[in-house]
Amino acid sequence: MKKILVLHTGGTIAMSADEAGNVTPGAENPLDNYQSSFGADIELETEDVFNVPSPHITPERMLQLKQRIDKAAHEGVDGVVVTHGTDTLEETAYFLDLTLPNELPVVITGAMRSANEIGSDGLHNLETAIQTASTPDAAEKGVLVVMNDEIHSARYVTKTHTTNVATFRTPTFGPIGLVANKGVVFFESLLRSTVCPIQSVTDNVFLIKAYAGMGPELFDAIAQPTTHGVVIEALGAGNLPPATLPAVQKLLDMQIPVVLVSRCFNGIAQDVYAYEGGGVQLKQMGVIFCQGLNGQKARIKLLVGVSAGMSTDELARFVATANS
Ligand SMILES: NC(=O)C[C@H](N)C(=O)O
């Protein structure tokens, strides 16, 4: 028999819709009435860590969740399932991936339809997440996201649709497994990234998206001694409009790490173009190119690296690829 700890944090999976169709968290969490269909095979222990919509999740709350899962490793559980709102699920999943030691399978899930909507996906996602967390193969793969019968790595998965139940996708690579009628199938194994056992967390890492005609204003606004880092979602393969360059240089002069990813949905950022504002110039200036992560995940990685007290050189190595 497997023992699985289920930690609820809120989100649509824990909400209900009213007659007008507005979805809100109620006084009672509908997941508290969940009847497991696993019988004697799986023993569930359930806890409400918090009950908030995921736009209310902060790095501080992510750390609190990590610390609860750390404790679970000494409580004889075989796996952990976290339920979470989907809006920032990928950020919490990646934060846990970067900070938890890889002893236990940890699976995060949520729902796109609330508990009382027709075709609600919450209980199905919860069951498949529990099934995945109780599979020995789920260990050593980093934190997993299970939604709509697919298993994704926390490192790459992203929310791609505002309402569709098939919203979680892994651009470029695809899912690493699926939950089929007869069980869990992994078709790819992944190596975990470096684990940072952080004790506290900074929030002052910003994410800025580049656009045609962009000027220095947004970069100037965060050129403060309290800023610990910036991630830029740059254009195409990794380029910026020329008018941003003096402001980016100012951030670098202030020893603020500046990390660049592409705003494109697929592909990686590289120093390909040698025109003004092109990747070649940005790399020479000291901008760190991060390959394989989207903006919100690169921000989580930078934030974790800064919180772990990494030097500028260590941060550059840590954030440069999704695999480091
Ligand atoms: N489907 C969801 O869970 C979305 C909700 N707004 C949340 O992230 O809390």
Side-chain angles (χ1 to χ4, degrees):
M1 199 228 276
K2 296 275 172 121
K3 187 171 164 185
I4 304 296
L5 175 66
V6 181
L7 301 173
H8 297 309
T9 70
T12 297
I13 194 167
M15 295 184 196
S16 304
D18 64 17
E19 279 167 14
N22 297 328
V23 178
T24 44
E28 198 187 314
N29 183 347
L31 291 172
D32 291 343
N33 302 323
Y34 167 63
Q35 301 284 328
S36 152
S37 64
F38 296 110
D41 294 340
I42 299 175
E43 183 196 342
L44 295 180
E45 196 182 306
T46 301
E47 210 174 292
D48 288 308
V49 183
F50 14 84
N51 188 6
V52 294
S54 76
H56 298 199
I57 294 284
T58 58
E60 194 53 49
R61 281 187 158 135
M62 294 178 195
L63 183 65
Q64 229 178 301
L65 189 58
K66 170 221 162 0
Q67 286 165 343
R68 177 63 192 92
I69 298 171
D70 277 339
K71 253 179 71 194
H74 307 288
E75 292 168 353
V77 307
D78 297 293
V80 178
V81 168
V82 176
T83 66
H84 197 287
T86 58
D87 291 349
T88 64
L89 186 151
E90 65 190 89
E91 284 157 88
T92 298
Y94 192 46
F95 181 94
L96 296 176
D97 188 68
L98 289 167
T99 58
L100 282 172
N102 52 357
E103 284 151 19
L104 284 177
V106 176
V107 178
I108 309 203
T109 192
M112 295 304 291
R113 299 187 185 129
S114 66
N116 60 345
E117 282 176 78
I118 291 174
S120 172
D121 51 335
L123 292 188
H124 182 77
N125 286 340
L126 178 58
E127 291 247 343
T128 48
I130 293 168
Q131 205 178 340
T132 306
S134 61
T135 305
D137 280 357
E140 306 292 325
K141 288 189 170 55
V143 171
L144 301 173
V145 173
V146 170
M147 293 282 293
N148 199 37
D149 291 340
E150 289 186 345
I151 307 171
H152 296 264
S153 159
R155 202 185 298 168
Y156 301 115
V157 72
T158 192
K159 183 173 178 175
T160 65
H161 195 288
T162 52
T163 52
N164 196 301
V165 293
T167 181
F168 280 87
R169 297 283 169 90
T170 298
T172 310
F173 308 109
I176 64 165
L178 53 91
V179 188
N181 286 359
K182 293 282 170 71
V184 172
V185 181
F186 283 101
F187 34 82
E188 199 178 306
S189 63
L190 275 172
L191 292 176
R192 290 210 58 172
S193 1
T194 312
V195 173
C196 293
I198 57 171
Q199 309 300 328
S200 62
V201 74
T202 173
D203 211 356
N204 292 344
V205 176
F206 298 100
L207 173 59
I208 294 181
K209 187 171 195 149
Y211 50 87
M214 188 181 201
E217 297 84 355
L218 295 177
F219 298 108
D220 282 342
I222 58 162
Q224 310 284 343
T226 47
T227 294
H228 291 144
V230 187
V231 174
I232 307 171
E233 283 186 13
L235 309 174
N239 312 303
L240 287 177
T244 62
L245 298 177
V248 171
Q249 185 62 58
K250 185 172 165 199
L251 292 169
L252 291 165
D253 291 344
M254 293 173 72
Q255 310 298 324
I256 296 170
V258 178
V259 173
L260 180 148
V261 299
S262 173
R263 70 174 194 176
C264 292
F265 181 64
N266 278 301
I268 55 173
Q270 286 180 315
D271 51 332
V272 181
Y273 287 96
Y275 51 71
E276 193 187 5
V280 172
Q281 183 184 8
L282 296 171
K283 199 155 200 180
Q284 277 165 1
M285 286 165 64
V287 172
I288 302 164
F289 277 58
C290 169
Q291 296 190 328
L293 296 179
N294 65 21
Q296 55 270 35
K297 279 179 209 273
R299 174 182 175 267
I300 292 291
K301 194 161 197 190
L302 180 58
L303 180 154
V304 165
V306 170
S307 302
M310 289 186 188
S311 67
T312 313
D313 284 352
E314 286 169 335
L315 271 180
R317 278 195 298 277
F318 181 61
V319 183
T321 73
N323 296 330
S324 50

